[in-house]
Each structure stands twice: as structure tokens, then as C-alpha cells.
Amino acid sequence: MKRFLVILFIYPLFLKAQIEPVKQDTVVEKYLIIKGDSIPIKSIDLDEVLVLPPIRFYTKEERYRYLILRRRTRKVYPYAKMAAERLIVLNKELKQFEKRRKKKKHAKKVQKFIEKEFSVELKKMTKTEGQILVKLIYRQTGKTAFELVKELRNGWRAFWYNNTASLFSISLKRKYVPLEVEEDFLIEDILLRDFQNGRLERQKPAFEIDYYDLTDKWIKSKKTDKK
């Protein structure tokens, strides 16, 4: 499973460390302009905070499944986040090359570096963790793992990667659809809770996900069914 997962991680730019001066705490004062007059605005804009309803488990099996899924999600999410960040870096770098041959050569160089850097960690992943990783890669990049491999290398290689993955019951074409798949909703719930408590570093998904629409379907409807 190592080769078709490891290709998805794009190597970081090698930046020289810079020592930045310590910034003093400052308050930026905003002004409302009305016909030439400026009026200071004393309010502070805050980020939107979701009110997450408590997750209710009706059986021990449901609770056990959630806890296992949470452990696996926490383990693989950083790799999906890294894939999104490094994909942005790679796309910027590829724009520097005009000829297709040089782009392919650069992508191949990236692959070799990635395999050396991440193969040990990816080898430790179970089949189920690999499935979750493929879903989260779609969440963070907006593209399936199959599409990413196809873009980075070629369609033929993506085809064989997908066939190899299928031997482990993993489809590189799998998407992340929390409104249609309950497990995907639970993964989204786990991520949002860990974002808020600071356990995981927040990275916006590549597409809009309305959490309240998800709770309407998976939590409120479930309560109704249990009555």
C-alpha cells in the first residue's frame, strides 16, 4: 500500500530559517467612514464558532466504533493535511517549467524524495486507516487520490495504483461525502471537535461542508427513529 499512498505527498520547500523580531501586542483600530468623517469601531471581529451538539450513543457498539474511528482519524488526518499543503507547493513549482518533459522529471524527483521520507510511516497504516486517508485526501484537496496520481504521473500508472489498492479493499477513486455516508459524517464530527479543542490543526476543506445539514440528517433523524 506504500507506493500508491506515498506518491500523494509533495515535498516541502527547503527554506532557510529566519529569525524574526518579536512583535509587540497591538490593537488595530478600524474606522467607519461616513461622508468624510471617520468613526473608530471598538468591536473586535471573531471567528465563527460552531456549536457542536453532544453525540449520543444508543449501544456500546456505537460508542466503541466511534472511539476507534476517532483514533484512526487522528492518526491519518495530518498526512491528508500535508498532502494538500504540498500539492499547492508542487503546483507552484511546476508552473516554472514550460516543457512537459521537465515537469515529469520534476514530479518523478518528488516521488523518490517522498518515498524515502514517508514510506516507514505509511507502512504502519492498516487497511482501514488507508481507506480513511483516501477520504481525507479528497476532503483537503477536492480531488480523489486516483486523480492526483493521474495528474502527477499518468493515467496508466494511476490505473495500476488503483488496481493494487483494490487488493487491500481500498479505492483511490473514493470521495468524502458526509451527507451520504454516516462514517464520513462521524469523521467530520471528530475533526471539528478536535479542531475546537486544539488537538488537531485546522485546515479548511477544499469544498463547503455544512455541519448543521449533517446533524439534521444523522443526529436529529436518528433521535426520531429511536422514539
Side-chain angles (χ1 to χ4, degrees), residues 155-172:
W156 182 247
R157 185 175 294 274
F159 170 78
W160 282 110
Y161 275 152
N162 194 58
N163 280 357
T164 304
S166 66
L167 298 177
F168 299 91
S169 300
I170 299 175
S171 172
L172 299 187

Side-chain angles (χ1 to χ4, degrees), residues 27-195:
V27 177
V28 178
E29 197 168 63
K30 296 182 179 180
Y31 290 85
L32 178 64
I33 307 299
I34 303 178
K35 293 184 178 180
D37 294 329
S38 60
I39 303 174
I41 301 175
K42 300 299 183 179
S43 61
I44 300 176
D45 294 332
L46 299 176
D47 294 333
E48 180 182 1
V49 177
L50 287 174
V51 179
L52 304 177
I55 293 291
R56 182 176 178 182
F57 305 102
Y58 295 93
T59 65
K60 289 183 178 180
E61 288 74 19
E62 286 184 359
R63 178 178 177 80
Y64 184 66
R65 182 178 64 134
Y66 183 88
L67 293 177
I68 292 178
L69 184 63
R70 185 175 67 181
R71 187 187 70 220
R72 291 168 174 167
T73 300
R74 286 173 173 174
K75 179 179 178 179
V76 305
Y77 168 76
Y79 290 96
K81 178 177 177 293
M82 190 183 304
E85 293 170 347
R86 297 187 174 182
L87 181 64
I88 294 174
V89 173
L90 178 63
N91 286 335
K92 288 182 178 179
E93 291 179 342
L94 291 180
K95 290 180 180 179
Q96 300 175 7
F97 302 100
E98 296 182 0
K99 295 183 178 180
R100 179 173 178 150
R101 180 177 59 83
K102 289 187 177 181
K103 289 185 178 182
K104 291 181 66 175
K105 184 178 180 181
H106 182 68
K108 189 174 182 179
K109 182 179 178 182
V110 169
Q111 179 189 354
K112 290 182 178 180
F113 176 87
I114 291 167
E115 289 179 355
K116 182 179 180 181
E117 183 179 6
F118 296 105
S119 59
V120 175
E121 291 300 320
L122 293 175
K123 280 181 178 179
K124 297 178 183 178
M125 288 189 184
T126 65
K127 177 184 70 175
T128 306
E129 290 167 351
Q131 293 171 339
I132 296 173
L133 177 58
V134 169
K135 289 183 178 184
L136 289 181
I137 286 175
Y138 184 83
R139 181 189 189 272
Q140 301 311 128
T141 66
K143 296 181 180 180
T144 65
F146 182 89
E147 291 170 336
L148 291 176
V149 174
K150 185 177 180 180
E151 289 180 5
L152 293 176
R153 300 305 301 272
N154 54 59
W156 182 247
R157 185 175 294 274
F159 170 78
W160 282 110
Y161 275 152
N162 194 58
N163 280 357
T164 304
S166 66
L167 298 177
F168 299 91
S169 300
I170 299 175
S171 172
L172 299 187
K173 296 181 180 180
R174 181 167 294 179
K175 297 182 179 181
Y176 182 73
V177 281
L179 196 59
E180 300 176 16
V181 180
E182 185 178 14
E183 181 181 82
D184 293 1
F185 158 67
L186 293 175
I187 292 174
E188 187 67 23
D189 180 82
I190 291 167
L191 290 177
L192 293 179
R193 293 180 192 278
D194 278 1
F195 291 158

